[in-house]
Amino acid sequence: MTTILDGRKVARELREEVRQAVAEMVSAGARAPALRVVLVGENPASKVYVGMKTRACEEAGIDGATVVLPADASEDQVRATLEELNADDAIDGILVQLPLPSGLPERKLVEKVSPAKDVDGFHPVNIGNLWAGQRAFVPCTPAGVLEMLKRYEIPLAGRHAVIVGR
């Protein structure tokens, strides 16, 4: 028997659950969570993807915004932006939109995001915690796949998976 997994449906359901949870937080006196996406340059695919993230934040009641830096931003400029976001207690999560323009060291800059705000789960501390079975931010694609399998009640025990790519 074949089961079609509807990722868009699961995303809508999950976004509504998050919206309700955020509304409850706000009505209890807390502020809405805040996410900042750092976009360096004018990569058309990245701009579309960041726009989708921003709309998803709006739908979920999250304070989502994009910090746009020019394509010729230096490593120091990107690092300074990340340090400023790390230091801002009103910012809960940070994403560095990849790919970065050529010449910027992706790994080095991703590692400048505080592990406590690294919602992509790319910082070595989060990767290590995930590997060790500790609480950590998890990269969104595998987390999304696991959430979809859970919602469709597809058991994982005894199954084998193939991961293509990183």
Side-chain angles (χ1 to χ4, degrees):
M1 180 171 159
T2 302
T3 302
I4 297 175
L5 306 180
D6 186 346
R8 286 189 175 100
K9 176 181 175 252
V10 171
R12 280 191 306 273
E13 292 171 354
L14 190 55
R15 196 166 296 129
E16 176 57 24
E17 292 167 16
V18 171
R19 187 195 64 72
Q20 289 176 13
V22 169
E24 288 175 18
M25 286 173 50
V26 170
S27 69
R31 66 173 173 74
L35 173 72
R36 294 299 176 263
V37 179
V38 177
L39 174 63
V40 184
E42 299 289 325
N43 179 306
S46 290
K47 287 173 74 174
V48 168
Y49 194 59
V50 166
M52 291 169 42
K53 289 177 187 178
T54 302
R55 279 189 301 283
C57 283
E58 289 171 9
E59 292 171 11
I62 295 171
D63 171 15
T66 305
V67 177
V68 180
L69 298 174
D72 63 352
S74 69
E75 179 181 341
D76 288 340
Q77 288 172 305
V78 178
R79 181 181 297 117
T81 298
L82 295 172
E83 289 171 357
E84 182 180 317
L85 294 170
N86 282 333
D88 188 341
D89 290 336
I91 304 300
D92 302 294
I94 303 168
L95 299 172
V96 177
Q97 181 60 44
L98 302 177
L100 293 172
S102 72
L104 290 177
E106 286 184 0
R107 173 62 33 211
K108 197 171 172 184
L109 289 170
V110 164
E111 289 177 4
K112 291 298 175 189
V113 176
S114 166
K117 295 186 179 189
D118 169 38
V119 294
D120 262 334
F122 292 166
H123 192 283
V125 168
N126 286 323
I127 292 169
N129 284 338
L130 178 64
W131 182 257
Q134 302 297 314
R135 185 170 165 82
F137 284 113
V138 179
C140 63
T141 300
V145 169
L146 289 173
E147 182 66 24
M148 195 164 24
L149 294 172
K150 177 178 140 189
R151 286 176 184 252
Y152 278 91
E153 299 178 355
I154 297 172
L156 298 178
R159 302 283 176 102
H160 297 277
V162 175
I163 300 170
V164 179
R166 288 190 276 170

